[in-house]
Amino acid sequence: MKRIEATIYVEPTAKGRPKITTINGRGQAYTPAKTRKAEAMIEAMIRNQVMKLGAFDAGVPLRLSATFYRERPQHLPKRVKMPVSRPDTLNYGKLLEDALAKFVYPDDSQITTLCLRKRFGMPPRIEMVIQEEEVEL
């Protein structure tokens, strides 16, 4: 069973909503620069591991587990142990899914199980494991 584990030393970034602009009187949507840059950094950080192990095949159910570590803000009281403020954990996960799509697996619809966590920790990073899902009968 194929399994890719990686620690990606990048500041976790939430998936930005598409922006819309008008060019020659026509609306055109584009991905914000911060989102594009974060996706490119994630892809670059795991490129070697994926090239060694190979990408997952189409139609294979996958399980993705990820923990997003962000720096603890100085102004927070010591009693706050978990990052319960924005951005949402799902938006972190969506950026990771989209960054891995077409590079690690053909389509993010192959992810059948998703386990996401958001924590405080230094250095800021994403710890992820993606593996083939065992089919239960």
Side-chain angles (χ1 to χ4, degrees):
M1 181 176 358
K2 192 183 298 184
R3 174 184 173 103
I4 296 175
E5 283 186 64
T7 300
I8 304 163
Y9 291 98
V10 62
E11 180 73 38
T13 305
K15 177 78 173 183
R17 299 203 187 279
K19 306 292 183 198
I20 299 176
T21 188
T22 305
I23 299 175
N24 296 329
R26 300 186 67 161
Q28 187 167 357
Y30 65 94
T31 304
K34 186 175 180 182
T35 299
R36 283 194 320 265
K37 182 180 175 188
E39 287 176 349
M41 288 178 67
I42 290 170
E43 185 178 319
M45 296 284 257
I46 65 164
R47 180 181 313 265
N48 290 338
Q49 195 165 9
V50 173
M51 290 178 80
K52 235 189 316 185
L53 298 171
F56 292 96
D57 295 326
V60 175
L62 300 174
R63 174 186 178 86
L64 174 64
S65 299
T67 305
F68 302 91
Y69 291 95
R70 359 185 307 211
E71 188 173 345
R72 182 187 177 83
Q74 296 277 335
H75 64 73
L76 278 182
K78 295 230 186 270
R79 71 177 182 278
V80 177
K81 303 292 183 195
M82 301 277 250
V84 294
S85 61
R86 291 186 182 269
D88 300 342
T89 309
L90 287 176
N91 289 335
Y92 283 146
K94 186 62 183 159
L95 183 112
L96 182 62
E97 283 180 28
D98 290 350
L100 299 176
K102 298 194 177 40
F103 178 63
V104 177
Y105 43 78
D107 189 9
D108 58 0
S109 65
Q110 290 179 245
I111 298 173
T112 56
T113 303
L114 186 63
C115 179
L116 303 173
R117 291 177 289 280
K118 178 171 68 167
R119 302 287 187 260
F120 289 130
M122 284 303 289
R125 65 193 182 278
I126 302 168
E127 293 178 357
M128 60 150 262
V129 175
I130 186 161
Q131 62 190 24
E132 294 178 10
E133 181 84 67
E134 295 198 19
V135 181
E136 299 172 3
L137 297 176

